[in-house]
Amino acid sequence: MPVDLAGLRFWASPELTSLHRLSMRSPTGPRDGSPWFRRLDGLWRFRLLDRPQDVVPEVGDAAFDDGTWDEVEVPSCWTMQGYDRPHYTNVQMPFPDAPPSVPDANPTGCYRTRFEVPPSWSGRRVVLHLGAAESAVAVLVNGALAGISKDSHLAAEFDITPFVEFGASDNVLACVVVKWSDGSHLEDQDHWWHGGLTREVFVRSEPPVHLADVKAIGGRSVDLVDGTLELRVTVDGPDGVPEGWRVDAELRTSGGAPVDLLGALGGPVPSARGFGFTGHVVRNRVVVPGAPAWSSETPTLHHLAVSLVDPAGDIVDEATVRVGFRRVEIGGRELRINGRPVLVRGVNRHDFHPDNGRVLTADDLRADVVAIKQWGFNAVRTSHYPNDPRFLDLCDEHGLYVIDEANLETHASMFTLCHDPNYLSAWVERGARMVLRDKNHASVIAWSLGNESGHGANHEAMAAWIRRYDPSRPLHYEGAVMLGLDLGSSVTDVVCPMYPPIERIVAWAEHPVAGDERPLIMCEYSHAMGNSNGCLAEYWAAVESHHGLQGGFIWEWWDHGLRQTLGDGTARFSYGGDWGDVPNDFNFCLDGVVWPDRRPKPALWEHRQLALPVRLRLVDGAVRVENRQDFRGLSWLRLTCDVLVEGAVVESVEVQLPDVEPGGSADLDVSPRGESLLFRVLLAGDESWAPAGFELGFAQLDAAFEREGVARRPVALESGVVGWPAAVVEPPALALWRAPIDNDWIRAGAAGETPADRWRKWGLDRASTKCPPGIEHRQTFHALDGDGILVEEEVVVGDEYGDLARVGSVLVIGAGLEHLEWFGRGPVETYPDRKLGAPVRRWTSTVTDEYVPYVKPQEHGGHEDVRWVRLLDEGGRGVELRFDDRPLHVSVSHFAARDLAEARHDVELVARSEVIVHVDAAHRGLGTASCGPDTLHQYLVGPGTYRWRWSVIPVG
């Protein structure tokens, strides 16, 4: 009989979370190369309808004519294949309907493909696997309804044995994917809304009696000497399991050597169901003597092979699991891994691709993990759903701690749905299915109950299920905690606030709540929107100096800018509203530490430096190295030293690095001496995530700089007579404004004004032509003996101006001076509250390359602690700016501040031929106020008197 999906209205029934969907299991079954596996990815027939009611009942029939339909790739997002459109929102839903309702206009994708079921599969079970469907899917096989599933980020499996024809190559699979469902209200996750079949699709064959699931969780003994393995193998069959079946299991090292165990793995399969039995389950707990521990620093894995053996002694089913032996526990305000309170240097991560939306290849996933490791992170939070399962495999392999998060965020209905019994089943299932899928991953150290969904009875139910099923890991949930007030220890074992100011986490650490043994790990902090991540060093200074503070997760890894081709052929990275998506949250999706194509933003250099596994400092005239790791010595590292004089390298030497134990220190035998020693920390050999020689960071010591240059005698100029070098086409003028960064637009004051609003109101953007009232600027020029001009400046800022963007000068240099040299911090941009990731030395670049391509243009390209800067043509002629009294903040660009402020996208900018140079005596910090605290008070530019001197000298 044709299936009337319209009559089912499954997309608007929150109590119906699935129909005929199999229980979630760990992905241990056959894969590519097995005769029992068939991949169905590729080109499918496709048609997009306006609403699910338009689906004809015959859509799944073999005789249905889909010859006029289009073809699309599966997996894919149809929104990235030319159908419908992606839609970005943060808190608000993309439609006004209240839960559980959805719009009548509801894009619905109909997919059809044909597949072979080999004759050798006859007599066995056939299982269909849909890796993910956004947001609800009905599955039909040869016209029959095989099942229904909701949950955009976890797989759905169905037993399709009754519906297939064995030996036929034209079995018809139809998937009806509905974009908006009652489940959409649970997936309001600060991301693009898409639609489609977004992860792999395959069928596999299982014997009638088969391995239904393998639970294999590695731990460590109480004394941390040995490994432990909790094994639970579930066997199932259509009519139970007869007598005589057994499970065999063998543990081997990654190199294939068998491992001796204290105890036996496997055993007979119980054949009866009834009182006293929980089913056909084989359980064991064994000790693995001396097993090396798994950690992010030493991700040692073992291979567990599980076999199902029939009464005749034949192996009929097999599964493999990689096991890491580590112990996770909470106590004494510490999260301990293998007995050590590790510092969590984490980043939040979505599944994202600029061209494919949510669809990622194995290479994409590996590139993410490799880059995350290379930039010093040791942990990932899978915001806000279980990421692609292959990602966790890579975290196991390369060493990343994971907080695995349930596919749950009800931001627009935060305080209601968590109490709604109609959503109880969906709530519990989304947590339970995550745990069932990912339980065997050593990398997963905590389960998160979701994000920004309030705290209600539904959370309590989810937490209770997870605690009962997997007591080996703690729970994490931000929605149930407030600093200083326990609102939810029943649902979270970690105090995990979102964007707390530094003073609040310090106060929490210094005034512990009696009886609360939980550590504080920020689930989100340091919002990376545009030119941001200020005060990262101050966050980590607080963490490293206060017991109970154990780090956190930067928001976030990706800028979610989808690549968009415009009518004129121009390609750009898009954000909310660029696709005609209304309502939207503009560019709030551009908040990652990497751009949409995974190029690193400058803030990553700051994080890498703070996460360096060693720290070098001067102690009584000696260079002391400290091992900041938890489990590893220093033999995997190399150390080189550049001796700098006036910022230039005069000598380079290799430094013998002693193999200091974790937490230990030793003095280095370093004989070179100069104005500055610049140490580079390198890999001594290949790691799984980087080759030998890869640089992890640096340490710069004894930066007592001498001033280079020829002494020039200033000569007073006659009034109004200034002989500027020929390269200067517009002499220096007062600059008090910057093209607002994203953080400047967000943090509103008492009157509802942001800093950017106030700067415009005060006229700071026009200060070069008209000094705002209450601000005085005095500028004096002197001729320099031997050519050049000395500029002396004083700016007095009145008390009414509590927060300026900058105090400095701007001048324009003529075209053709493209080559750039400077002595200061580099090579990446730096600002007063984000500069530790860049050493002070001589650097070379070009004016063009100083542009930092934030998708929404804004202030960029600054360099802190600059002593001098030169702009030269190809022949070495040009101009030098010298700051003899003290280092200043400098930027050079082919864009004026107003060019940046007026553009919505980077591709709109048109470079000027001239060079705009900013010389700042003071520049406001960056902070992270687009979502979180502003910069600290010491990095604000407020009232007072500012004086600085600088010289403009012709070169060549």
Side-chain angles (χ1 to χ4, degrees):
M1 295 288 293
V3 178
D4 181 13
L5 295 177
L8 288 175
R9 289 191 60 81
F10 64 89
W11 57 89
S13 302
E15 303 88 345
L16 178 64
T17 58
S18 66
L19 180 66
H20 303 319
R21 186 174 66 192
L22 298 176
S23 297
M24 181 62 80
R25 58 174 283 178
S26 296
T28 57
R31 297 291 300 178
D32 293 292
S34 168
W36 311 119
F37 180 87
R38 290 287 186 275
R39 186 174 295 280
L40 302 187
D41 298 345
L43 289 175
W44 290 38
R45 292 289 188 179
F46 177 77
R47 172 153 292 179
L48 186 66
L49 305 177
D50 292 334
R51 57 185 196 147
Q53 292 90 334
D54 295 338
V55 179
V56 298
E58 298 81 11
V59 70
D61 294 352
F64 181 81
D65 184 8
D66 60 12
T68 61
W69 287 19
D70 298 334
E71 287 187 326
V72 297
E73 285 285 343
V74 171
S76 69
C77 298
W78 71 57
T79 47
M80 304 307 295
Q81 299 282 306
Y83 304 91
D84 188 14
R85 62 188 174 199
H87 194 145
Y88 170 65
T89 62
N90 175 24
V91 177
Q92 61 186 330
M93 291 293 290
F95 51 79
D97 305 68
S101 300
V102 294
D104 184 64
N106 190 353
T108 300
C110 296
Y111 294 83
R112 282 172 53 95
T113 192
R114 295 177 184 268
F115 65 101
E116 178 189 9
V117 179
S120 59
W121 289 18
S122 180
R124 297 167 60 92
R125 186 165 86 147
V126 181
V127 175
L128 169 69
H129 176 101
L130 296 181
E134 184 178 350
S135 69
V137 61
V139 177
L140 301 102
V141 176
N142 291 331
L145 179 62
I148 290 170
S149 180
K150 298 171 190 171
D151 189 334
S152 296
H153 301 290
L154 281 175
E157 293 191 334
F158 305 95
D159 183 350
I160 61 173
T161 312
F163 314 123
V164 300
E165 182 179 347
F166 293 93
S169 60
D170 60 350
N171 288 277
V172 174
L173 169 61
C175 296
V176 177
V177 181
V178 184
K179 182 172 184 177
W180 307 124
S181 74
D182 53 82
S184 300
H185 295 281
L186 306 183
E187 298 174 356
D188 183 18
Q189 293 159 327
D190 186 15
H191 205 315
W192 293 94
W193 300 88
H194 293 287
L197 298 172
T198 57
R199 290 183 187 158
E200 63 179 356
V201 182
F202 60 80
V203 290
R204 70 170 183 268
S205 173
E206 298 177 340
V209 178
H210 58 274
L211 296 171
D213 194 25
V214 176
K215 180 182 181 182
I217 297 180
R220 299 205 69 74
S221 58
V222 174
D223 61 7
L224 303 174
V225 173
D226 301 321
T228 62
L229 179 60
E230 300 280 352
L231 182 65
R232 185 180 192 274
V233 181
T234 304
V235 180
D236 205 356
D239 300 308
V241 179
E243 295 279 355
W245 290 73
R246 74 172 190 271
V247 168
D248 288 344
E250 184 180 39
L251 188 69
R252 291 181 176 270
T253 66
S254 59
V259 175
D260 293 331
L261 307 173
L262 296 180
L265 281 175
V269 180
S271 59
R273 293 182 186 266
F275 181 78
F277 290 92
T278 58
H280 308 293
V281 177
V282 176
R283 294 183 180 87
N284 291 106
R285 183 185 188 279
V286 298
V287 174
V288 188
W294 185 97
S295 71
S296 69
E297 298 170 12
T298 57
T300 303
L301 294 171
H302 290 68
H303 294 267
L304 177 69
V306 179
S307 303
L308 178 62
V309 182
D310 68 11
D314 296 324
I315 296 175
V316 298
D317 202 4
E318 296 177 290
T320 58
V321 179
R322 293 194 301 183
V323 178
F325 298 104
R326 84 287 179 272
R327 184 183 184 94
V328 186
E329 54 193 340
I330 300 285
R333 305 178 86 205
E334 293 176 341
L335 167 69
R336 303 185 190 116
I337 308 294
N338 303 330
R340 297 293 300 270
V342 302
L343 294 184
V344 176
R345 302 182 184 274
V347 67
N348 288 275
R349 179 191 176 275
H350 277 286
D351 281 342
F352 171 79
H353 191 279
D355 300 307
N356 303 323
R358 302 191 191 280
V359 181
L360 300 166
T361 67
D363 288 342
D364 294 330
L365 294 163
R366 177 178 169 80
D368 262 11
V369 169
V370 165
I372 288 169
K373 288 286 291 186
Q374 289 179 348
W375 288 106
F377 295 99
N378 68 356
V380 172
R381 174 175 170 237
T382 67
S383 53
H384 299 293
Y385 45 81
N387 288 182
D388 189 302
R390 297 170 296 174
F391 180 77
L392 294 184
D393 292 335
L394 292 162
C395 292
D396 292 341
E397 178 183 339
H398 298 287
L400 285 171
Y401 302 124
V402 174
I403 291 184
D404 203 0
E405 191 149 278
N407 181 25
L408 182 67
E409 181 173 338
T410 66
H411 210 150
S413 305
M414 186 185 296
F415 303 112
T416 56
L417 292 186
C418 57
H419 305 288
D420 189 339
N422 293 315
Y423 276 98
L424 173 61
S425 294
W427 224 273
V428 176
E429 282 190 19
R430 286 169 182 249
R433 296 180 74 235
M434 167 187 68
V435 174
L436 289 167
R437 189 195 78 169
D438 296 337
K439 57 187 175 287
N440 295 332
H441 287 285
S443 57
V444 176
I445 62 168
W447 303 115
S448 171
L449 307 191
N451 185 68
E452 293 176 321
S453 300
H455 176 207
N458 293 347
H459 289 101
E460 302 286 341
M462 182 200 290
W465 192 97
I466 296 174
R467 287 193 189 281
R468 178 66 179 82
Y469 181 82
D470 180 28
S472 73
R473 296 175 175 94
L475 299 187
H476 167 287
Y477 182 55
E478 173 270 338
V481 300
M482 292 179 61
L483 295 188
L485 180 63
D486 181 2
L487 296 177
S489 59
S490 61
V491 297
T492 185
D493 300 308
V494 179
V495 176
C496 42
M498 188 177 286
Y499 305 108
I502 296 171
E503 63 268 20
R504 287 190 66 197
I505 63 174
V506 168
W508 179 92
E510 293 179 347
H511 302 91
V513 176
D516 192 345
E517 293 292 293
R518 297 175 298 174
L520 188 150
I521 301 172
M522 297 171 286
C523 73
E524 295 176 22
Y525 80 110
S526 194
H527 193 249
M529 187 174 177
N531 190 359
S532 188
N533 301 103
C535 302
L536 202 58
E538 284 78 9
Y539 268 107
W540 277 96
V543 167
E544 292 177 1
S545 60
H546 290 85
H547 181 252
L549 303 184
Q550 283 189 250
F553 296 84
I554 288 175
W555 187 267
E556 64 164 314
W557 179 242
W558 285 104
D559 259 6
H560 298 148
L562 296 172
R563 202 184 321 264
Q564 182 183 39
T565 302
L566 305 180
D568 62 359
T570 301
R572 69 182 184 185
F573 291 125
S574 64
Y575 49 81
D578 285 341
W579 299 83
D581 47 319
V582 178
N584 65 76
D585 285 290
F586 201 50
N587 69 320
F588 205 70
C589 59
L590 303 175
D591 48 12
V593 290
V594 298
W595 278 290
D597 53 7
R598 208 183 282 106
R599 286 174 301 148
K601 287 185 180 177
L604 273 178
W605 273 263
E606 188 86 349
H607 179 269
R608 184 184 73 167
Q609 190 64 18
L610 294 169
L612 199 61
V614 296
R615 175 170 290 157
L616 280 76
R617 56 194 182 98
L618 289 174
V619 179
D620 298 329
V623 177
R624 181 161 299 171
V625 60
E626 300 170 352
N627 184 349
R628 304 172 67 205
Q629 301 171 104
D630 298 304
F631 306 106
R632 202 173 187 185
L634 299 184
S635 61
W636 65 295
L637 301 175
R638 279 179 54 216
L639 198 63
T640 65
C641 179
D642 291 338
V643 181
L644 305 181
V645 174
E646 187 53 29
V649 178
V650 297
E651 183 182 4
S652 295
V653 296
E654 188 88 12
V655 178
Q656 183 65 38
L657 187 61
D659 190 13
V660 180
E661 73 276 2
S665 64
D667 290 343
L668 300 179
D669 182 13
V670 181
S671 55
R673 287 291 183 266
E675 297 167 3
S676 175
L677 301 181
L678 184 58
F679 295 90
R680 297 171 64 226
V681 182
L682 313 171
L683 291 183
D686 293 339
E687 295 287 322
S688 65
W689 43 271
F694 180 84
E695 183 170 343
L696 299 178
F698 69 91
Q700 189 165 27
L701 302 178
D702 192 21
F705 296 98
E706 299 294 332
R707 301 288 190 266
E708 178 205 60
V710 178
R712 297 172 183 266
R713 182 173 59 87
V715 179
L717 292 169
E718 296 181 17
S719 177
V721 179
V722 179
W724 292 104
V728 178
V729 298
E730 290 187 23
L734 178 64
L736 303 174
W737 182 72
R738 68 185 182 193
I741 63 174
D742 289 304
N743 294 338
D744 295 336
W745 284 113
I746 304 295
R747 183 62 61 188
E753 293 178 324
T754 68
D757 292 329
R758 291 193 296 274
W759 298 340
R760 290 269 194 188
K761 184 180 73 173
W762 292 338
L764 301 188
D765 55 326
R766 302 182 297 277
S768 60
T769 57
K770 182 180 179 181
C771 196
I775 296 179
E776 300 176 7
H777 176 218
R778 288 182 286 274
Q779 199 175 48
T780 306
F781 305 109
H782 302 273
L784 289 174
D785 183 26
D787 211 356
I789 299 294
L790 171 66
V791 185
E792 294 183 331
E793 309 216 41
E794 179 181 89
V795 173
V796 180
V797 178
D799 291 342
E800 62 268 40
Y801 298 99
D803 182 8
L804 304 182
R806 67 192 338 150
V807 174
S809 305
V810 58
L811 70 159
V812 180
I813 304 299
L817 304 187
E818 180 67 13
H819 181 72
L820 172 67
E821 299 176 3
W822 77 97
F823 179 15
R825 291 195 181 270
V828 296
E829 68 174 13
T830 52
Y831 286 83
D833 60 350
R834 198 194 72 207
K835 66 179 185 178
L836 295 186
V840 177
R841 56 168 294 177
R842 295 192 189 194
W843 301 100
T844 62
S845 181
T846 66
V847 177
T848 297
D849 288 344
E850 286 299 285
Y851 173 62
V852 183
Y854 296 110
V855 176
K856 184 179 179 298
Q858 53 199 274
E859 160 66 32
H860 67 270
H863 292 289
E864 282 284 296
D865 301 324
V866 177
R867 275 79 175 159
W868 53 256
V869 58
R870 296 179 186 132
L871 288 159
L872 308 171
D873 63 16
E874 293 183 355
R877 296 177 297 274
V879 66
E880 176 182 296
L881 310 181
R882 179 167 295 279
F883 319 117
D884 290 327
D885 285 355
R886 62 184 176 91
L888 299 179
H889 179 97
V890 177
S891 66
V892 299
S893 178
H894 284 306
F895 306 107
R898 64 179 178 272
D899 301 334
L900 302 169
E902 292 171 359
R904 282 173 48 96
H905 292 82
D906 57 334
V907 298
E908 299 168 13
L909 291 170
V910 177
R912 298 169 181 253
S913 58
E914 302 86 7
V915 181
I916 290 84
V917 182
H918 276 277
V919 176
D920 293 333
H923 195 105
R924 190 187 197 276
L926 303 171
T928 178
S930 55
C931 195
D934 201 350
T935 190
L936 295 174
H937 184 268
Q938 61 263 36
Y939 301 120
L940 295 176
V941 179
T945 300
Y946 298 84
R947 297 185 181 91
W948 67 103
R949 288 160 45 102
W950 54 295
S951 303
V952 184
I953 303 168
V955 176

